[in-house]
Amino acid sequence: MFLGTHTPRLDDKGRMFLPAKFRERLAGGLVVTRGQERCLYVFPMSEFERIATSMQATPTSNRAVRDYQRVFLSGASDEIPDKQGRVTIPATLREYAGLSHECTVIGAGARLEVWDTGAWTAYLEQTEQRFSDQSEEVVPGLL
């Protein structure tokens, strides 16, 4: 499970150091793709394969399904971290997420999310109160 908040930087070649605590799990390969709210999702290869297989079972006769699959899969890039734990974020995905040198990587359970630090800060400010107000409605009886 991926947890926590980390603040790596992108270098001039679009590479980012993966947080050290996640490197071993991602060393065999990962997939970076478009996420929601203009962030990037990073999945271990095995998790991405599970998701892609599940998507194949959905009805492509449904336009919403087709649209989601197109956006999600067309942006996907399989990557293998280098020996120093860096991964290249393709230019199209950097542009999609508005990534600058300052990035925030958050653990989101089965995936990582990569955000531009300014966008992450703004997102937290906008959603913090809703988080506090909705805990019972979103996950009843959990806390």
Side-chain angles (χ1 to χ4, degrees):
M1 182 178 299
F2 296 111
L3 302 172
T5 302
H6 310 272
T7 52
R9 290 177 172 232
L10 277 177
D11 68 15
D12 292 337
K13 295 180 181 177
R15 298 175 301 189
M16 179 184 70
F17 280 101
L18 293 169
K21 70 187 279 184
F22 305 139
R23 289 181 194 166
E24 185 177 329
R25 181 154 181 223
L26 299 170
L30 56 89
V31 175
V32 183
T33 192
R34 292 179 192 101
Q36 291 152 314
E37 291 84 35
R38 291 281 179 170
C39 72
L40 302 179
Y41 290 168
V42 179
F43 296 97
M45 184 63 72
S46 59
E47 179 66 10
F48 187 82
E49 288 171 350
R50 184 193 67 74
I51 292 167
T53 299
S54 294
M55 280 187 175
Q56 291 175 356
T58 58
T60 56
S61 58
N62 181 310
R63 183 182 179 113
V65 168
R66 291 191 311 272
D67 290 346
Y68 188 88
Q69 286 178 343
R70 287 174 180 145
V71 172
F72 186 77
L73 296 173
S74 69
S77 178
D78 56 326
E79 304 289 334
I80 295 179
D82 67 15
K83 292 178 183 176
Q84 297 168 331
R86 293 178 301 195
V87 64
T88 300
I89 308 294
T92 55
L93 293 177
R94 291 193 311 266
E95 183 179 318
Y96 170 81
L99 297 181
S100 62
H101 289 291
E102 303 294 325
C103 296
T104 298
V105 175
I106 65 165
R111 70 177 183 273
L112 295 173
E113 293 183 359
V114 180
W115 292 76
D116 176 77
T117 295
W120 172 248
T121 301
Y123 174 80
L124 267 183
E125 288 173 3
Q126 292 171 356
T127 59
E128 190 76 36
Q129 189 60 49
R130 286 189 305 215
F131 168 76
S132 296
D133 295 342
Q134 293 182 346
S135 64
E136 185 61 28
E137 293 83 14
V138 174
V139 189
L142 181 63
L143 300 174

Short mmCIF file of all heavy atoms in Angstrom, two decimals, residues 95-126:
data_model
loop_
_atom_site.label_atom_id
_atom_site.label_comp_id
_atom_site.label_asym_id
_atom_site.label_seq_id
_atom_site.Cartn_x
_atom_site.Cartn_y
_atom_site.Cartn_z
N GLU A 95 2.57 17.90 -19.26
CA GLU A 95 1.70 19.00 -19.69
C GLU A 95 0.28 18.82 -19.14
O GLU A 95 -0.32 19.77 -18.65
CB GLU A 95 1.67 19.07 -21.21
CG GLU A 95 0.86 20.22 -21.76
CD GLU A 95 0.89 20.26 -23.29
OE1 GLU A 95 1.96 20.03 -23.87
OE2 GLU A 95 -0.18 20.50 -23.87
N TYR A 96 -0.26 17.61 -19.25
CA TYR A 96 -1.61 17.32 -18.75
C TYR A 96 -1.75 17.71 -17.27
O TYR A 96 -2.75 18.32 -16.87
CB TYR A 96 -1.93 15.83 -18.94
CG TYR A 96 -3.19 15.40 -18.24
CD1 TYR A 96 -4.44 15.63 -18.81
CD2 TYR A 96 -3.14 14.77 -17.00
CE1 TYR A 96 -5.61 15.24 -18.17
CE2 TYR A 96 -4.31 14.37 -16.35
CZ TYR A 96 -5.53 14.61 -16.93
OH TYR A 96 -6.68 14.23 -16.29
N ALA A 97 -0.75 17.35 -16.47
CA ALA A 97 -0.82 17.60 -15.03
C ALA A 97 -0.25 18.96 -14.63
O ALA A 97 -0.27 19.32 -13.46
CB ALA A 97 -0.09 16.49 -14.27
N GLY A 98 0.24 19.73 -15.61
CA GLY A 98 0.81 21.04 -15.31
C GLY A 98 2.03 20.96 -14.41
O GLY A 98 2.25 21.84 -13.58
N LEU A 99 2.82 19.91 -14.57
CA LEU A 99 3.96 19.71 -13.67
C LEU A 99 5.07 20.71 -13.94
O LEU A 99 5.44 20.96 -15.08
CB LEU A 99 4.52 18.29 -13.81
CG LEU A 99 3.59 17.16 -13.42
CD1 LEU A 99 4.30 15.82 -13.58
CD2 LEU A 99 3.06 17.31 -12.00
N SER A 100 5.57 21.28 -12.86
CA SER A 100 6.75 22.13 -12.91
C SER A 100 7.86 21.36 -12.19
O SER A 100 7.76 20.16 -12.00
CB SER A 100 6.45 23.46 -12.22
OG SER A 100 6.13 23.25 -10.86
N HIS A 101 8.87 22.05 -11.77
CA HIS A 101 9.95 21.36 -11.05
C HIS A 101 9.48 20.87 -9.68
O HIS A 101 9.96 19.85 -9.19
CB HIS A 101 11.17 22.27 -10.90
CG HIS A 101 11.88 22.48 -12.20
ND1 HIS A 101 12.58 21.48 -12.83
CD2 HIS A 101 11.99 23.57 -13.00
CE1 HIS A 101 13.09 21.94 -13.96
NE2 HIS A 101 12.74 23.21 -14.09
N GLU A 102 8.57 21.59 -9.07
CA GLU A 102 8.09 21.25 -7.73
C GLU A 102 6.89 20.30 -7.84
O GLU A 102 5.82 20.71 -8.30
CB GLU A 102 7.69 22.50 -6.96
CG GLU A 102 8.79 23.54 -6.83
CD GLU A 102 9.96 23.06 -5.99
OE1 GLU A 102 9.73 22.30 -5.01
OE2 GLU A 102 11.10 23.44 -6.31
N CYS A 103 7.07 19.07 -7.42
CA CYS A 103 6.00 18.07 -7.49
C CYS A 103 5.67 17.56 -6.10
O CYS A 103 6.49 17.61 -5.19
CB CYS A 103 6.44 16.88 -8.34
SG CYS A 103 6.76 17.27 -10.05
N THR A 104 4.48 17.05 -5.97
CA THR A 104 4.07 16.36 -4.76
C THR A 104 3.59 14.98 -5.18
O THR A 104 2.77 14.86 -6.09
CB THR A 104 2.94 17.12 -4.02
OG1 THR A 104 3.45 18.40 -3.63
CG2 THR A 104 2.47 16.36 -2.79
N VAL A 105 4.12 13.96 -4.52
CA VAL A 105 3.72 12.58 -4.77
C VAL A 105 3.02 12.10 -3.52
O VAL A 105 3.57 12.17 -2.42
CB VAL A 105 4.94 11.68 -5.08
CG1 VAL A 105 4.53 10.22 -5.21
CG2 VAL A 105 5.65 12.15 -6.35
N ILE A 106 1.78 11.64 -3.71
CA ILE A 106 1.03 11.12 -2.57
C ILE A 106 0.76 9.64 -2.76
O ILE A 106 0.56 9.17 -3.87
CB ILE A 106 -0.29 11.89 -2.34
CG1 ILE A 106 -1.26 11.69 -3.50
CG2 ILE A 106 -0.02 13.36 -2.07
CD1 ILE A 106 -2.68 12.09 -3.18
N GLY A 107 0.78 8.93 -1.65
CA GLY A 107 0.36 7.54 -1.66
C GLY A 107 -1.15 7.51 -1.59
O GLY A 107 -1.76 8.18 -0.75
N ALA A 108 -1.78 6.76 -2.49
CA ALA A 108 -3.24 6.68 -2.54
C ALA A 108 -3.67 5.21 -2.58
O ALA A 108 -4.45 4.80 -3.43
CB ALA A 108 -3.77 7.45 -3.74
N GLY A 109 -3.13 4.44 -1.67
CA GLY A 109 -3.50 3.03 -1.60
C GLY A 109 -2.77 2.19 -2.62
O GLY A 109 -1.57 1.95 -2.52
N ALA A 110 -3.47 1.77 -3.66
CA ALA A 110 -2.89 0.90 -4.69
C ALA A 110 -2.11 1.68 -5.74
O ALA A 110 -1.51 1.08 -6.63
CB ALA A 110 -4.00 0.09 -5.37
N ARG A 111 -2.12 2.99 -5.65
CA ARG A 111 -1.42 3.81 -6.64
C ARG A 111 -0.75 5.00 -5.96
O ARG A 111 -1.05 5.34 -4.82
CB ARG A 111 -2.40 4.33 -7.70
CG ARG A 111 -3.36 5.37 -7.18
CD ARG A 111 -4.28 5.93 -8.24
NE ARG A 111 -5.12 6.96 -7.68
CZ ARG A 111 -6.27 6.77 -7.07
NH1 ARG A 111 -6.77 5.54 -6.96
NH2 ARG A 111 -6.97 7.78 -6.58
N LEU A 112 0.15 5.62 -6.71
CA LEU A 112 0.69 6.92 -6.34
C LEU A 112 -0.01 7.95 -7.21
O LEU A 112 -0.47 7.64 -8.31
CB LEU A 112 2.19 6.99 -6.63
CG LEU A 112 3.10 6.07 -5.84
CD1 LEU A 112 4.52 6.16 -6.36
CD2 LEU A 112 3.05 6.42 -4.36
N GLU A 113 -0.07 9.17 -6.73
CA GLU A 113 -0.53 10.29 -7.54
C GLU A 113 0.58 11.32 -7.57
O GLU A 113 1.21 11.59 -6.55
CB GLU A 113 -1.81 10.90 -6.98
CG GLU A 113 -3.00 9.98 -7.06
CD GLU A 113 -4.31 10.58 -6.58
OE1 GLU A 113 -4.32 11.76 -6.13
OE2 GLU A 113 -5.32 9.87 -6.66
N VAL A 114 0.82 11.89 -8.75
CA VAL A 114 1.82 12.93 -8.92
C VAL A 114 1.08 14.22 -9.26
O VAL A 114 0.33 14.27 -10.23
CB VAL A 114 2.82 12.58 -10.05
CG1 VAL A 114 3.86 13.69 -10.20
CG2 VAL A 114 3.49 11.23 -9.77
N TRP A 115 1.31 15.23 -8.46
CA TRP A 115 0.66 16.53 -8.60
C TRP A 115 1.71 17.62 -8.73
O TRP A 115 2.79 17.53 -8.12
CB TRP A 115 -0.15 16.85 -7.35
CG TRP A 115 -1.35 16.01 -7.11
CD1 TRP A 115 -1.37 14.73 -6.64
CD2 TRP A 115 -2.71 16.38 -7.27
NE1 TRP A 115 -2.67 14.30 -6.51
CE2 TRP A 115 -3.51 15.29 -6.89
CE3 TRP A 115 -3.33 17.56 -7.71
CZ2 TRP A 115 -4.89 15.34 -6.93
CZ3 TRP A 115 -4.72 17.60 -7.75
CH2 TRP A 115 -5.49 16.49 -7.36
N ASP A 116 1.40 18.67 -9.44
CA ASP A 116 2.16 19.90 -9.32
C ASP A 116 1.92 20.39 -7.90
O ASP A 116 0.78 20.36 -7.41
CB ASP A 116 1.68 20.93 -10.34
CG ASP A 116 2.40 22.24 -10.16
OD1 ASP A 116 3.57 22.34 -10.57
OD2 ASP A 116 1.79 23.16 -9.56
N THR A 117 2.96 20.80 -7.20
CA THR A 117 2.81 21.16 -5.79
C THR A 117 1.77 22.27 -5.58
O THR A 117 0.97 22.19 -4.65
CB THR A 117 4.17 21.55 -5.19
OG1 THR A 117 5.00 20.37 -5.21
CG2 THR A 117 4.05 22.03 -3.76
N GLY A 118 1.75 23.27 -6.44
CA GLY A 118 0.75 24.33 -6.30
C GLY A 118 -0.66 23.80 -6.47
O GLY A 118 -1.58 24.20 -5.74
N ALA A 119 -0.85 22.91 -7.43
CA ALA A 119 -2.18 22.31 -7.65
C ALA A 119 -2.60 21.46 -6.47
O ALA A 119 -3.76 21.46 -6.05
CB ALA A 119 -2.19 21.50 -8.94
N TRP A 120 -1.65 20.70 -5.89
CA TRP A 120 -1.96 19.86 -4.73
C TRP A 120 -2.36 20.73 -3.53
O TRP A 120 -3.35 20.44 -2.84
CB TRP A 120 -0.79 18.96 -4.37
CG TRP A 120 -0.99 18.22 -3.09
CD1 TRP A 120 -0.32 18.39 -1.92
CD2 TRP A 120 -1.98 17.20 -2.83
NE1 TRP A 120 -0.81 17.54 -0.95
CE2 TRP A 120 -1.83 16.80 -1.48
CE3 TRP A 120 -2.96 16.60 -3.60
CZ2 TRP A 120 -2.63 15.81 -0.90
CZ3 TRP A 120 -3.75 15.61 -3.02
CH2 TRP A 120 -3.59 15.23 -1.69
N THR A 121 -1.62 21.80 -3.31
CA THR A 121 -1.93 22.70 -2.20
C THR A 121 -3.32 23.30 -2.37
O THR A 121 -4.12 23.33 -1.42
CB THR A 121 -0.86 23.81 -2.10
OG1 THR A 121 0.41 23.19 -1.90
CG2 THR A 121 -1.14 24.76 -0.96
N ALA A 122 -3.65 23.74 -3.57
CA ALA A 122 -4.97 24.31 -3.84
C ALA A 122 -6.06 23.25 -3.66
O ALA A 122 -7.12 23.53 -3.08
CB ALA A 122 -5.03 24.89 -5.25
N TYR A 123 -5.81 22.05 -4.14
CA TYR A 123 -6.79 20.96 -4.00
C TYR A 123 -7.06 20.68 -2.52
O TYR A 123 -8.22 20.56 -2.11
CB TYR A 123 -6.28 19.70 -4.70
CG TYR A 123 -7.15 18.50 -4.48
CD1 TYR A 123 -8.31 18.32 -5.22
CD2 TYR A 123 -6.84 17.56 -3.52
CE1 TYR A 123 -9.13 17.22 -5.01
CE2 TYR A 123 -7.65 16.46 -3.29
CZ TYR A 123 -8.79 16.29 -4.05
OH TYR A 123 -9.60 15.21 -3.82
N LEU A 124 -6.02 20.58 -1.73
CA LEU A 124 -6.21 20.32 -0.29
C LEU A 124 -7.01 21.42 0.37
O LEU A 124 -7.90 21.14 1.18
CB LEU A 124 -4.86 20.21 0.41
CG LEU A 124 -4.26 18.84 0.56
CD1 LEU A 124 -2.96 18.90 1.34
CD2 LEU A 124 -5.21 17.85 1.17
N GLU A 125 -6.70 22.68 0.03
CA GLU A 125 -7.44 23.80 0.62
C GLU A 125 -8.92 23.73 0.27
O GLU A 125 -9.78 24.03 1.10
CB GLU A 125 -6.85 25.12 0.16
CG GLU A 125 -5.50 25.43 0.78
CD GLU A 125 -4.83 26.66 0.20
OE1 GLU A 125 -5.43 27.32 -0.68
OE2 GLU A 125 -3.70 26.95 0.60
N GLN A 126 -9.22 23.32 -0.97
CA GLN A 126 -10.62 23.25 -1.41
C GLN A 126 -11.37 22.07 -0.81
O GLN A 126 -12.58 22.14 -0.64
CB GLN A 126 -10.68 23.14 -2.93
CG GLN A 126 -10.22 24.38 -3.65
CD GLN A 126 -10.10 24.14 -5.15
OE1 GLN A 126 -10.30 23.05 -5.65
NE2 GLN A 126 -9.76 25.19 -5.88
#
